[in-house]
mmCIF file of all heavy atoms in Angstrom:
data_model
loop_
_atom_site.group_PDB
_atom_site.id
_atom_site.type_symbol
_atom_site.label_atom_id
_atom_site.label_comp_id
_atom_site.label_asym_id
_atom_site.label_seq_id
_atom_site.Cartn_x
_atom_site.Cartn_y
_atom_site.Cartn_z
ATOM 1 N N LEU A 56 -12.551 16.194 8.609
ATOM 2 C CA LEU A 56 -11.163 16.216 8.176
ATOM 3 C C LEU A 56 -10.972 16.664 6.742
ATOM 4 O O LEU A 56 -10.082 17.490 6.480
ATOM 5 C CB LEU A 56 -10.626 14.722 8.174
ATOM 6 C CG LEU A 56 -9.165 14.455 7.801
ATOM 7 C CD1 LEU A 56 -8.253 15.314 8.661
ATOM 8 C CD2 LEU A 56 -8.696 13.000 7.902
ATOM 9 N N GLN A 137 -29.249 4.271 -10.987
ATOM 10 C CA GLN A 137 -28.131 5.084 -11.388
ATOM 11 C C GLN A 137 -28.100 5.397 -12.812
ATOM 12 O O GLN A 137 -27.586 6.403 -13.206
ATOM 13 C CB GLN A 137 -26.770 4.435 -10.928
ATOM 14 C CG GLN A 137 -26.751 4.144 -9.387
ATOM 15 C CD GLN A 137 -25.281 4.236 -8.897
ATOM 16 O OE1 GLN A 137 -24.419 4.656 -9.583
ATOM 17 N NE2 GLN A 137 -25.158 3.858 -7.614
ATOM 18 N N ALA A 186 -8.374 36.869 6.580
ATOM 19 C CA ALA A 186 -8.521 35.510 6.648
ATOM 20 C C ALA A 186 -7.966 34.824 7.822
ATOM 21 O O ALA A 186 -8.349 33.673 8.151
ATOM 22 C CB ALA A 186 -7.704 34.854 5.323
ATOM 23 N N LEU A 192 -8.736 28.864 12.752
ATOM 24 C CA LEU A 192 -9.721 27.910 13.209
ATOM 25 C C LEU A 192 -9.606 26.651 12.439
ATOM 26 O O LEU A 192 -9.560 25.509 13.080
ATOM 27 C CB LEU A 192 -11.112 28.511 13.036
ATOM 28 C CG LEU A 192 -12.292 27.605 13.281
ATOM 29 C CD1 LEU A 192 -12.537 27.593 14.774
ATOM 30 C CD2 LEU A 192 -13.535 27.916 12.596
ATOM 31 N N PHE A 193 -9.518 26.687 11.178
ATOM 32 C CA PHE A 193 -9.418 25.425 10.338
ATOM 33 C C PHE A 193 -8.059 24.741 10.594
ATOM 34 O O PHE A 193 -8.037 23.473 10.659
ATOM 35 C CB PHE A 193 -9.678 25.664 8.915
ATOM 36 C CG PHE A 193 -11.141 25.902 8.537
ATOM 37 C CD1 PHE A 193 -11.546 27.119 8.113
ATOM 38 C CD2 PHE A 193 -12.075 24.899 8.846
ATOM 39 C CE1 PHE A 193 -12.905 27.257 7.778
ATOM 40 C CE2 PHE A 193 -13.405 25.083 8.548
ATOM 41 C CZ PHE A 193 -13.836 26.342 8.061
ATOM 42 N N LEU A 247 -2.340 -7.966 -7.580
ATOM 43 C CA LEU A 247 -0.874 -8.047 -7.223
ATOM 44 C C LEU A 247 -0.044 -7.335 -8.311
ATOM 45 O O LEU A 247 0.937 -6.658 -7.938
ATOM 46 C CB LEU A 247 -0.461 -9.492 -7.012
ATOM 47 C CG LEU A 247 -0.955 -10.138 -5.704
ATOM 48 C CD1 LEU A 247 -0.588 -11.608 -5.653
ATOM 49 C CD2 LEU A 247 -0.585 -9.349 -4.468
ATOM 50 N N ALA A 287 -14.249 4.835 4.533
ATOM 51 C CA ALA A 287 -14.015 4.713 5.956
ATOM 52 C C ALA A 287 -12.538 4.834 6.265
ATOM 53 O O ALA A 287 -12.125 5.231 7.276
ATOM 54 C CB ALA A 287 -14.570 3.459 6.511
ATOM 55 N N THR A 288 -11.750 4.282 5.250
ATOM 56 C CA THR A 288 -10.228 4.315 5.518
ATOM 57 C C THR A 288 -9.633 5.650 5.247
ATOM 58 O O THR A 288 -8.482 5.956 5.701
ATOM 59 C CB THR A 288 -9.720 3.202 4.564
ATOM 60 O OG1 THR A 288 -10.365 1.992 4.690
ATOM 61 C CG2 THR A 288 -8.223 2.925 4.890
ATOM 62 N N PHE A 332 -15.505 -12.890 -17.320
ATOM 63 C CA PHE A 332 -15.731 -14.229 -16.640
ATOM 64 C C PHE A 332 -17.168 -14.645 -16.797
ATOM 65 O O PHE A 332 -17.515 -15.756 -17.265
ATOM 66 C CB PHE A 332 -15.349 -14.088 -15.173
ATOM 67 C CG PHE A 332 -15.764 -15.365 -14.427
ATOM 68 C CD1 PHE A 332 -15.097 -16.603 -14.475
ATOM 69 C CD2 PHE A 332 -16.877 -15.298 -13.537
ATOM 70 C CE1 PHE A 332 -15.493 -17.619 -13.722
ATOM 71 C CE2 PHE A 332 -17.317 -16.351 -12.794
ATOM 72 C CZ PHE A 332 -16.667 -17.563 -12.914
ATOM 73 N N ALA A 334 -19.359 -13.560 -19.029
ATOM 74 C CA ALA A 334 -19.661 -13.738 -20.426
ATOM 75 C C ALA A 334 -19.122 -15.137 -20.825
ATOM 76 O O ALA A 334 -19.858 -15.922 -21.526
ATOM 77 C CB ALA A 334 -19.028 -12.673 -21.244
ATOM 78 N N ARG A 403 -9.821 -5.792 -3.354
ATOM 79 C CA ARG A 403 -9.768 -4.545 -4.329
ATOM 80 C C ARG A 403 -9.738 -3.277 -3.493
ATOM 81 O O ARG A 403 -9.165 -2.286 -4.080
ATOM 82 C CB ARG A 403 -10.864 -4.684 -5.340
ATOM 83 C CG ARG A 403 -12.299 -4.621 -4.804
ATOM 84 C CD ARG A 403 -13.278 -4.967 -5.822
ATOM 85 N NE ARG A 403 -14.667 -4.664 -5.398
ATOM 86 C CZ ARG A 403 -15.621 -5.495 -5.267
ATOM 87 N NH1 ARG A 403 -15.449 -6.841 -5.527
ATOM 88 N NH2 ARG A 403 -16.855 -5.150 -4.931
ATOM 89 N N VAL A 414 -0.648 7.760 -6.016
ATOM 90 C CA VAL A 414 -0.780 8.974 -6.865
ATOM 91 C C VAL A 414 -0.541 10.274 -6.068
ATOM 92 O O VAL A 414 0.173 11.099 -6.565
ATOM 93 C CB VAL A 414 -2.191 9.008 -7.515
ATOM 94 C CG1 VAL A 414 -2.414 10.276 -8.267
ATOM 95 C CG2 VAL A 414 -2.277 7.730 -8.461
#
Side-chain angles (χ1 to χ4, degrees):
L56 181 58
Q137 301 212 10
L192 175 81
F193 284 116
L247 288 175
T288 312
F332 167 77
R403 63 190 191 240
V414 173

